[in-house]
Amino acid sequence: MGRAPCCDKANVKKGPWSSEEDAKLKEFIGKYGTGGNWIALPQKAGLKRCGKSCRLRWLNYLRPNIRHGEYSDEEDRIICNLYASIGSRWSVIAAQLPGRTDNDIKNYWNTKLKKKLLTMPSYLQEKQTFFSSMSFQPPPPSYNISSHQILNNSSSCYNSFSTPNFMNVDNMSNSFFVHDDIHNNLTNLQSPTPLANNLMSNNSVDVVNDNCLSYLGFQDGHYGMCNSPMLMYGSTCSSSEGGNYNKDHEQKQKYQIKQEDYHITLDNQVVGDQVQSQSSMIKNHATLEEVKQLNLTSYLFHDDEENKTAHYKKGMCSNYY
DNA sequence: AAGTTCAGCAACCGCATGATC
DNA sequence: GGATCATGCGGTTGCTGAACT
């Protein structure tokens, strides 16, 4: 019945690891690997630690190719975009940043990145009025993006009109579903973030794939890597039921973003009152503000048309308004 | 110089999920 | 099929050193 207990909690050491312990663990794993059994590992390695603790120490600190220190702007963007799309799924975010650990990214977000976003210059905040004043149209009942398209820098990015399912937005239940292509599972990401809540409450969806880009006018399929999701504030990125792209072509025009000024086509219902009410709503959700601000920097740092397109193509700068 | 506050980060804790018996 | 445990994950805590008073 069941398995043996994980460890004798009374006889395990807690607290910071000594260099001797690090060396023992490193040496043991170097020689024998983890053996797929973290619980038995500390005893075998001569460590008075819980297997969980060993695993954490290895994954977050001792493992080869771990990167510590400064994060690049690109890493910031990836973290922000993914956070906005999937929330605090640090392990998923970490998977997109080689050498970074989920713990590291989590700490970085909580201690630095969030603050960095909140201390953006005021001119950026003024721009927020523009976004908070948008109103949106709901996407079609089924909109999907392949998890592989977002989570892997894979060539599947180029044929997504017929390859469904990463994020399925269910307007009726106000939920996101993530489809795991490998295991063929649907995971409910109900209200993953305040951002997602806000977006959904505005009948919008924050997703990325070729379809979105096609709405932006980049329909040639040469916009490069899809290794970071693109937030589409106020836009509707939709595919047709059953992946029939052409069916939605007419509807698409309604939402198409004007490339000339990088504005999203706005709904006519936007009036002063609505602007105010939505602005105050956003005030209550720092995360939304934060992420939007970060993405705004993409716009401001690359403000000529050529650069924007170039960055799109590189997958470097995924958010223009 | 001593005490206090703050920021950064490593490590722990508890929960969810899946595997095993 | 249910009980038990391993694993992985995200949230939280607490230690440490720097900055400030």
Side-chain angles (χ1 to χ4, degrees), chain A residues 158 210 213 218-225 309-310 312-314:
Chain A
Y158 296 99
D210 310 48
L213 292 171
F218 298 109
Q219 295 189 37
D220 58 358
H222 294 294
Y223 30 78
M225 309 188 301
T309 306
Y312 254 126
K313 288 182 176 177
K314 287 183 197 165

Side-chain angles (χ1 to χ4, degrees), chain A residues 77-224:
Chain A
R77 266 192 290 272
I78 291 171
I79 293 168
C80 267
N81 284 342
L82 283 170
Y83 185 89
S85 295
I86 62 174
S88 54
R89 307 282 294 269
W90 302 118
S91 58
V92 176
I93 296 171
Q96 299 308 296
L97 301 172
R100 302 292 188 186
T101 69
D102 53 355
N103 206 37
D104 204 26
I105 293 168
K106 179 174 59 183
N107 284 333
Y108 178 59
W109 172 264
N110 286 330
T111 60
K112 290 181 183 172
L113 197 49
K114 232 182 340 187
K115 287 170 196 168
K116 190 174 169 181
L117 288 157
L118 287 169
T119 55
M120 288 280 180
S122 58
Y123 65 86
L124 286 177
Q125 289 168 14
E126 284 166 20
K127 280 221 163 204
Q128 293 310 301
T129 313
F130 173 78
F131 300 101
S132 58
S133 69
M134 294 172 183
S135 70
F136 313 122
Q137 294 297 319
S142 175
Y143 180 73
N144 300 303
I145 300 174
S146 166
S147 57
H148 289 168
Q149 289 164 19
I150 286 189
L151 300 180
N152 299 328
N153 178 17
S154 76
S155 59
S156 65
C157 297
Y158 296 99
N159 61 358
S160 72
F161 292 140
S162 58
T163 53
N165 63 44
F166 165 59
M167 195 172 280
N168 184 351
V169 180
D170 181 346
N171 284 320
M172 300 306 287
S173 62
N174 240 20
S175 300
F176 282 111
F177 292 92
V178 172
H179 188 267
D180 181 338
D181 287 346
I182 296 166
H183 301 99
N184 200 32
N185 291 328
L186 266 186
T187 304
N188 188 351
L189 289 181
Q190 201 151 22
S191 306
T193 63
L195 169 62
N197 281 335
N198 269 334
L199 293 173
M200 284 193 289
S201 71
N202 285 300
N203 289 327
S204 73
V205 48
D206 57 320
V207 290
V208 59
N209 82 345
D210 310 48
N211 296 357
C212 299
L213 292 171
S214 75
Y215 281 22
L216 288 163
F218 298 109
Q219 295 189 37
D220 58 358
H222 294 294
Y223 30 78

Side-chain angles (χ1 to χ4, degrees), chain A residues 219-273:
Chain A
Q219 295 189 37
D220 58 358
H222 294 294
Y223 30 78
M225 309 188 301
C226 294
N227 63 343
S228 66
M230 174 180 67
L231 300 178
M232 297 289 291
Y233 297 116
S235 72
T236 295
C237 311
S238 73
S239 68
S240 58
E241 295 275 17
N244 185 342
Y245 169 67
N246 289 331
K247 258 190 192 172
D248 285 342
H249 185 73
E250 210 174 60
Q251 191 185 12
K252 185 178 77 175
Q253 300 302 324
K254 185 175 176 183
Y255 307 114
Q256 191 166 20
I257 294 172
K258 295 174 187 174
Q259 275 186 264
E260 308 86 69
D261 53 6
Y262 292 87
H263 284 180
I264 295 165
T265 303
L266 298 181
D267 188 294
N268 289 333
Q269 294 167 354
V270 176
V271 292
D273 285 345

